[in-house]
Amino acid sequence: MQQCVLVVGPGRSGTSTVSGVLSRLGVDFGSDLIAADYSNPKGYFESASFLRLNKKLYAICHDAKKVDAPSLEEVLKLKDKHSIKCEECINSIKKNSLLWGLKAWRVPMNEFFMDFIGDFKVVRVSRNVDCTAKSLVKHVNKRKGVEKINFEEAKNITKGYSKEIELFVSRYKPDLIDLSYEDLINRTEFTVRELASFLDIPCTEQRLTLAADFVIDKEEIESRRSEFNAERKNIFRQLKAKLF
């Protein structure tokens, strides 16, 4: 029987890192993953088609420029109307994989897809609120066409995400594991073993080591970001040379 691993957590809380670890443990997140970039130098482990559909549905039921998510009521009003597209999207991701994964974009939006996910477990990721908010400010304020936010607003958004997740958990009462980003960084091997055990993944020491090695420290993250910056500057120089 197929089972979905649903990764949820506030934006910038470490859900991409956790999803990367899960991928190395054998969870299939699909083939059309969003490419790595400056913000997530090791990748997002997020289906591009799933994200595109989420954003289209978000724009239909909510003001796309707002950072807060639509309410459950807003989503439920439109759920049946878009069910065919949602089912096709989920089927294209899970295919025949026995253990497949979804990184939730905004938890209230999950309601569009829940009828087609089937059996699932939840990995709920948390991180220090202040650290999450600082990262969110940096991430949101460099995007075009989105309202700028300050630190206090980011903290409120982060807390809002957590409330959305609480409502989702209360609604579905799934089999769930709470995973701290700080534990993943500071007690990597122990946390990866805990995650594998929760998902009943039989792992060799080699696979556990491979999954644990996905977690990198701040120095390596900054090094990879420098590489992205250098590549971006090089592309800009080449375009400039062609134009002038």
Side-chain angles (χ1 to χ4, degrees):
M1 184 173 67
Q2 289 183 295
Q3 184 173 77
C4 174
V5 182
L6 189 60
V7 181
V8 300
R12 312 308 298 169
S13 66
T15 53
S16 295
T17 301
V18 171
S19 297
V21 169
L22 287 168
S23 177
R24 290 197 176 184
L25 285 173
V27 178
D28 184 2
F29 283 87
S31 56
D32 66 331
L33 300 181
I34 297 168
D37 61 14
Y38 180 86
S39 294
N40 275 334
K42 293 201 78 173
Y44 288 84
F45 295 89
E46 188 169 6
S47 164
S49 58
F50 183 65
L51 180 62
R52 279 195 302 271
L53 182 53
N54 264 282
K55 288 187 173 182
K56 285 179 182 177
L57 295 171
Y58 185 95
I60 291 169
C61 64
H62 198 58
D63 185 344
K65 289 187 177 182
K66 290 184 177 179
V67 182
D68 63 315
S71 66
L72 178 61
E73 290 72 24
E74 286 177 304
V75 173
L76 291 177
K77 282 179 184 177
L78 296 166
K79 184 176 178 178
D80 291 342
K81 185 177 180 180
H82 300 281
S83 61
I84 294 175
K85 287 182 181 178
C86 293
E87 184 176 14
E88 289 174 349
C89 180
I90 292 298
N91 288 339
S92 72
I93 297 168
K94 67 181 182 180
K95 295 181 180 176
N96 296 317
S97 299
L98 292 178
L99 190 61
W100 62 285
L102 273 180
K103 195 178 84 169
W105 182 58
R106 294 302 299 268
V107 171
M109 301 298 292
N110 289 349
E111 293 297 335
F112 280 110
F113 305 93
M114 293 308 297
D115 290 344
F116 317 113
I117 285 176
D119 189 39
F120 71 100
K121 290 185 175 183
V122 171
V123 178
R124 178 166 57 182
V125 185
S126 63
R127 183 185 182 187
N128 175 274
V129 174
D130 285 356
C131 293
T132 306
K134 286 177 184 176
S135 182
L136 186 61
V137 167
K138 187 176 180 181
H139 181 70
V140 170
N141 289 352
K142 70 180 181 182
R143 289 163 57 193
K144 295 180 180 179
V146 176
E147 296 173 2
K148 306 299 180 187
I149 59 173
N150 58 39
F151 177 70
E152 287 304 318
E153 288 171 329
K155 281 184 73 172
N156 289 333
I157 290 166
T158 300
K159 291 174 182 177
Y161 269 61
S162 297
K163 287 181 181 177
E164 291 169 10
I165 294 166
E166 282 293 342
L167 289 171
F168 175 79
V169 169
S170 296
R171 181 173 169 81
Y172 286 96
K173 297 177 174 55
D175 195 358
L176 176 147
I177 185 172
D178 280 307
L179 194 151
S180 158
Y181 179 72
E182 286 79 13
D183 279 348
L184 186 60
I185 297 298
N186 298 318
R187 300 195 304 160
T188 304
E189 188 174 327
F190 173 82
T191 306
V192 171
R193 285 182 182 276
E194 206 173 34
L195 195 54
S197 176
F198 168 70
L199 296 171
D200 299 317
I201 298 175
C203 287
T204 62
E205 287 299 318
Q206 185 178 10
R207 171 161 276 189
L208 284 167
T209 300
L210 181 69
D213 283 348
F214 183 84
V215 183
I216 59 178
D217 58 26
K218 276 189 174 183
E219 288 185 8
E220 187 172 349
I221 289 173
E222 291 307 318
S223 173
R224 288 173 182 253
R225 283 178 173 165
S226 295
E227 290 174 11
F228 275 109
N229 275 337
E231 184 179 347
R232 197 158 42 188
K233 287 177 182 177
N234 185 45
I235 292 171
F236 179 75
R237 281 196 296 268
Q238 290 176 0
L239 287 171
K240 191 175 180 180
K242 285 181 179 178
L243 290 171
F244 301 103

